[in-house]
Amino acid sequence: MSGVSVLGVRHHGPGSARAVRAELERLRPDVILVEGPPEADSLVRLAPDLEPPVALLAHVPGSASSAAFWPFARFSPEWQAILYGVGAGVPVRFCDLPAAHTLAEPSEPAEPAPESAEESTRLDPIGALAHAAGYDDPERWWEDVVEHRGDTPFEVIAEAVAAVREGYVPAGREARREAYMRKTLRAAIKEGHGRIAVICGAWHVPALSGPLPPVKDDNAVLRGMPRVKAELTWVPWTYGRLAWWSGYGAGITSPGWYDHLFTAPDRPIERWLTGAAGVLRDEGLAVSPAHVIEASRLAHGLAALRGRPLAGLGEVTEAARAVLCEGDDLAVELIHRRLVVGDRLGLVTDGTPMVPLQRDLRDQQRKVRLKPEALDRELDLDLRKPLDLARSHLLHRLRLLGVGWGEPGEARGKGTFRETWRLRWEPEFDLALIERAALGTTVATAATRHARDRATGTPVPGPMPEGSPGPSGTAGGSPGSGGGPGGASQGGGSGGVSLAELTGLVEQCLLADLPEALPDVLAALSAKAALDTDVTRLMAALPAMVRAHRYGDVRGTSAEGLTVIVRSMLDRICVGLPVAVTRLDDEAAAGLLGHVDAVHTAMGLLDEGPGGPDHAGEPEQPGGGAASPRERWLATLLGLCGRQDLHGLVEGRLTRILLDAGEIDDAGDRMARAASRGESPARTAAWVEGFLSGGGLLLVHDPRLFGLVDEWLTGLGAEQFVEVLPLLRRTFGSFAVPERRAVGERVRQGGRAAEAAEPELDERRAGAAARTVLEILGSAHG
């Protein structure tokens, strides 16, 4: 095969990329064969318009678990071969195993630890060559031998790998891949191409060079392979993803560094350290040109001492740490994140094959002026502004679809009109959109359909909405079957969806502005709530419903229909709570109080007073008018608070809630009864814990309550005090530091309270005041 040139490369190697480009310009081949899925041959023409890093995405339509990625950076040898072929008008074909077969194969377990030297060599041939050369770091050996040279010695690499592979017989997927590569090569020869260039991983060079095995042997290896329908497209990729190891060899620890070596072949060390200084200056650190000069000298000096042809990443990192960062590891980590790995996100053009849902998202991103970025970005929204409201709707719709481009955070400042998001685009989000394509052609219609399906329990494809949609798709030779975002679909009608999930779905629909989905979701919620008799589940679901009710005011979204459901759920809570609070142990009591506090907080969000929207159709009270939801709730708690069968923690907390709400004025008497000698110290301590769980300022400002607690504590015997000490530590430990300090000061001054009430009279100063008063009174009588 004198007309065939097999160029063995390391995937994503900048030295290999430059050498491949130069060798292709010298060879002037008739056809170029590149390692990759042949179904993507028609996508090669788009490469010049794409901005790497990008990846070929292969997926099985309708399947949420079969996907694979083949990533390319601009320093990838395969990418440079593609660009050369398209630019020179030379046909470019992919020659690896088709994705239709790759995705049909069962997923293989992660590579086990090598059990022999032969196994270790097969898994890491570069490591074997580095070890033979006396290097303990394969990355450093490859940099010295290939990346830092002006050219790549393809013949030497082929000879070295042939020696490493001596005696190795490929099997399984590896054998099928190499058999298909030879099949593609034979087809190119049969078509009459005289000069053929093959760009593949160096490991495969011996399998494609020299006399090829008989055709029948390769056909036997390929016979009977499973097959599925696979579709391919280009998607954006990130340098962060390139730093992940995969079976394709795409895992490189320093994609940003390799990108720099490829784009800055002249004086790369000086340019790199200048960029590192810029990163540090952006963070407010003082770094001068003198620092850069000294760091460059140090990096070159380290390389000379170590016998390296050029300073590598290790040397420049040590120089940056010592000179630019002055030993600060946090600054070094910043350089590593920004430059060594990098935050570059690729870009595909509108001419790239996309499902309508992807295209609509691109249109929406332009409309709301949100550009996908690989770097974390904080976004503060003011929902009173139309643009910010539209951004919020888009981000919430995507979260409902399982595309977690934005993660909500804690809003800065006060007011329900504020939202804070953390944005970060991941390549797998395109896969999630493809999986959801059957739900609708726009983000809004797809989110609406998805909400309806979840409410009714209809199985939905792809990731569950609240999970992290990060498919672990792999690339090229070893794609995993778990490439798509996983998640079990809800089945069996609405009965398979919990009440809490339905209330959360209502909240999501209002946040995402999906009015067409609300009727179905509310109907499912109403049916579920009517059949659910568990008070704790109703209490867990009610706060989300109340929050959803508020969105009608904050976002201008109609929340019609929520009032009836909220009132119905509250009624059943008020009826069932007296039974639910009986015979509780410590753990159950603490759990119930969490629900009580959440419902009590939610009641404060509802409109109060007769005539409001929450009182239509409610029974008249003896004094006229209808009771508000908050009034009904407080009446229920008031009826419970005097019962003798309550857990001390529950009774104490209810007493505090009613005191803060102004419903009782005998909290001192209630505490006195709880701390009486007839009660066990453990129950009293639980009562005090429940009562004070809202904060300790009451003990500072209410002398009677302070005196009751003080009298109870000082009256405990030694054994009783030891018994209740853990509860007391937990109670007082929950107070804020200023509260604890104020309570301690109150305790310290407690014995001198009477003296402080009657301070000693200063007759001299009082006399002056008395004379002034007499003069005023005299002038008044005069």
Side-chain angles (χ1 to χ4, degrees):
M1 298 190 304
S2 59
V4 178
S5 299
V6 183
L7 309 182
V9 300
R10 186 188 186 195
H11 302 298
H12 311 309
S16 296
R18 283 195 298 268
V20 162
R21 188 68 181 249
E23 186 70 5
L24 291 176
E25 291 176 352
R26 185 186 70 83
L27 292 173
R28 302 290 181 180
D30 301 328
V31 64
I32 300 173
L33 306 183
V34 177
E35 189 175 327
E39 294 96 333
D41 287 351
S42 61
L43 301 176
V44 168
R45 59 180 177 80
L46 301 174
D49 297 326
L50 307 182
E51 183 179 326
V54 293
L56 285 170
L57 164 62
H59 66 98
V60 178
S63 172
S65 60
S66 297
F69 299 93
W70 286 260
F72 299 88
R74 57 181 169 180
F75 52 85
S76 301
E78 299 89 346
W79 183 255
Q80 290 301 316
I82 291 172
L83 293 182
Y84 169 82
V86 175
V90 177
V92 179
R93 301 174 186 172
F94 289 104
C95 61
D96 205 346
L97 198 66
H101 298 309
T102 302
L103 297 178
E105 294 181 349
S107 60
E108 296 183 352
E111 293 281 13
E115 299 178 0
S116 64
E118 179 181 349
E119 180 74 5
S120 177
T121 297
R122 183 183 70 82
L123 294 178
D124 186 14
I126 302 299
L129 293 173
H131 179 73
Y135 282 72
D136 58 359
D137 183 359
E139 294 282 338
R140 190 161 61 90
W141 175 81
W142 185 263
E143 283 190 354
D144 288 351
V145 174
V146 177
E147 303 304 339
H148 294 163
R149 291 172 56 99
D151 60 337
T152 296
F154 293 111
E155 297 81 2
V156 176
I157 291 176
E159 183 179 350
V161 174
V164 171
R165 279 184 61 130
E166 186 174 355
Y168 167 69
V169 179
R173 178 176 294 170
E174 194 75 9
R176 293 190 290 273
R177 291 183 62 201
E178 293 184 348
Y180 199 91
M181 290 180 185
R182 289 189 291 266
K183 180 180 178 179
T184 308
L185 178 57
R186 291 190 189 98
I189 296 173
K190 188 176 181 180
E191 291 174 2
H193 295 291
R195 297 187 304 276
I196 302 173
V198 182
I199 290 83
C200 63
W203 177 253
H204 303 297
V205 171
L208 303 177
S209 302
L212 302 181
V215 175
K216 62 181 182 63
D217 292 349
D218 285 343
N219 289 340
V221 172
L222 298 173
R223 188 177 299 117
M225 285 192 301
R227 185 183 184 88
V228 294
K229 180 182 179 182
E231 294 184 0
L232 280 82
T233 187
W234 291 107
V235 295
W237 204 249
T238 67
Y239 276 177
R241 292 290 173 172
L242 278 176
W244 286 16
W245 178 258
S246 77
Y248 187 53
I252 54 175
T253 58
S254 49
W257 167 252
Y258 275 10
D259 183 274
H260 173 76
L261 291 179
F262 182 75
T263 56
D266 60 314
R267 307 185 69 83
I269 306 306
E270 291 76 6
R271 294 178 184 273
W272 172 267
L273 291 170
T274 301
V279 168
L280 297 177
R281 282 196 293 268
D282 289 343
E283 297 298 323
L285 301 178
V287 182
S288 68
H291 285 90
V292 177
I293 295 171
E294 186 60 32
S296 300
R297 289 174 176 170
L298 178 57
H300 287 299
L302 289 173
L305 287 173
R306 295 168 180 173
R308 305 196 66 182
L310 182 69
L313 181 59
E315 286 74 29
V316 296
T317 300
E318 292 178 36
R321 174 183 280 107
V323 181
L324 303 185
C325 305
E326 299 180 347
D328 186 352
D329 286 338
L330 290 178
V332 177
E333 176 60 28
L334 176 64
I335 294 174
H336 182 274
R337 187 172 65 251
R338 296 278 183 86
L339 292 182
V340 177
V341 176
D343 51 22
R344 184 185 298 274
L345 174 67
L347 179 66
V348 298
T349 62
D350 291 338
T352 305
M354 297 181 188
V355 296
L357 190 57
Q358 289 176 289
R359 294 194 180 280
D360 180 68
L361 176 57
R362 290 170 69 92
D363 293 340
Q364 294 297 320
Q365 288 169 337
R366 295 189 188 101
K367 183 177 179 181
V368 300
R369 299 200 289 274
L370 281 181
K371 181 181 179 181
E373 297 174 321
L375 186 65
D376 285 343
R377 172 190 172 190
E378 292 286 344
L379 179 67
D380 292 320
L381 300 181
D382 183 341
L383 302 180
R384 297 170 297 184
K385 300 178 180 178
L387 178 61
D388 283 1
L389 184 59
R391 289 174 169 178
S392 175
H393 289 159
L394 177 62
L395 293 172
H396 280 293
R397 289 169 183 174
L398 290 173
R399 277 180 57 79
L400 188 61
L401 288 170
V403 180
W405 179 22
E407 291 296 329
E410 185 176 350
R412 299 183 178 90
K414 297 181 179 179
T416 55
F417 56 85
R418 295 188 180 276
E419 277 187 351
T420 296
W421 293 83
R422 180 181 293 274
L423 304 183
R424 182 185 180 91
W425 184 264
E426 298 289 355
E428 291 84 355
F429 294 156
D430 279 294
L431 177 59
L433 292 169
I434 292 172
E435 291 169 351
R436 301 297 199 200
L439 296 175
T441 58
T442 67
V443 175
T445 57
T448 297
R449 171 69 181 277
H450 183 53
R452 287 172 171 169
D453 289 346
R454 285 186 63 197
T456 58
T458 303
V460 293
M464 294 304 294
E466 291 302 316
S468 176
S472 56
T474 57
S478 303
S481 61
S489 58
Q490 303 284 357
S494 60
V497 187
S498 70
L499 183 62
E501 288 175 328
L502 287 173
T503 54
L505 188 57
V506 171
E507 189 174 8
Q508 287 180 308
C509 288
L510 290 171
L511 287 167
D513 189 24
L514 302 175
E516 295 182 0
L518 268 179
D520 291 337
V521 179
L522 290 175
L525 174 63
S526 180
K528 189 74 174 181
L531 298 176
D532 201 320
T533 58
D534 190 311
V535 173
T536 56
R537 285 204 294 265
L538 291 170
M539 295 175 74
L542 184 63
M545 289 297 299
V546 173
R547 289 195 302 270
H549 188 278
R550 293 284 292 181
Y551 297 143
D553 298 327
V554 178
R555 295 170 170 266
T557 304
S558 173
E560 185 179 355
L562 292 177
T563 301
V564 175
I565 298 176
V566 169
R567 186 174 66 243
S568 175
M569 293 173 66
L570 180 61
D571 288 342
R572 284 198 292 279
I573 290 172
C574 291
V575 170
L577 190 58
V579 178
V581 297
T582 60
R583 300 175 183 174
L584 299 178
D585 58 17
D586 293 345
E587 183 178 355
L592 180 67
L593 281 194
H595 293 308
V596 169
D597 286 338
V599 172
H600 183 66
T601 301
M603 291 301 100
L605 297 177
L606 293 176
D607 295 334
E608 297 183 22
D614 294 319
H615 315 297
E618 296 182 2
E620 291 278 335
Q621 298 300 300
S628 70
R630 186 171 183 273
E631 290 170 343
R632 295 204 308 278
W633 168 249
L634 291 175
T636 300
L637 299 186
L638 187 60
L640 292 175
C641 196
R643 284 172 38 176
Q644 298 298 315
D645 59 344
L646 290 182
H647 191 283
L649 187 68
V650 175
E651 183 181 357
R653 183 63 188 142
L654 296 185
T655 302
R656 176 62 180 274
I657 290 175
L658 293 170
L659 175 64
D660 291 345
E663 294 294 315
I664 60 173
D665 55 8
D666 59 345
D669 295 337
R670 293 172 185 263
M671 178 178 282
R673 289 196 297 271
S676 65
R677 294 186 179 274
E679 299 288 353
S680 67
R683 188 182 190 281
T684 301
W687 196 100
V688 171
E689 179 183 4
F691 183 80
L692 296 178
S693 61
L697 290 180
L698 271 178
L699 293 180
V700 179
H701 299 297
D702 193 322
R704 186 187 179 196
L705 294 179
F706 177 86
L708 288 171
V709 175
D710 184 58
E711 181 181 355
W712 169 66
L713 281 174
T714 55
L716 293 175
E719 294 183 0
Q720 293 174 327
F721 183 79
V722 171
E723 179 183 352
V724 302
L725 183 58
L727 291 177
L728 294 174
R729 288 177 62 89
R730 184 170 64 191
T731 300
F732 287 90
S734 65
F735 295 168
V737 173
E739 291 181 349
R740 292 202 301 268
R741 186 181 298 114
V743 171
E745 185 67 18
R746 184 74 172 84
V747 171
R748 188 178 68 83
Q749 296 177 352
R752 298 194 300 272
E755 298 178 9
E758 298 180 4
E760 183 180 352
L761 180 64
D762 186 335
E763 294 183 357
R764 183 180 61 82
R765 296 177 64 188
R771 285 192 298 273
T772 302
V773 171
L774 290 174
E775 290 178 3
I776 294 174
L777 291 176
S779 62
H781 287 292

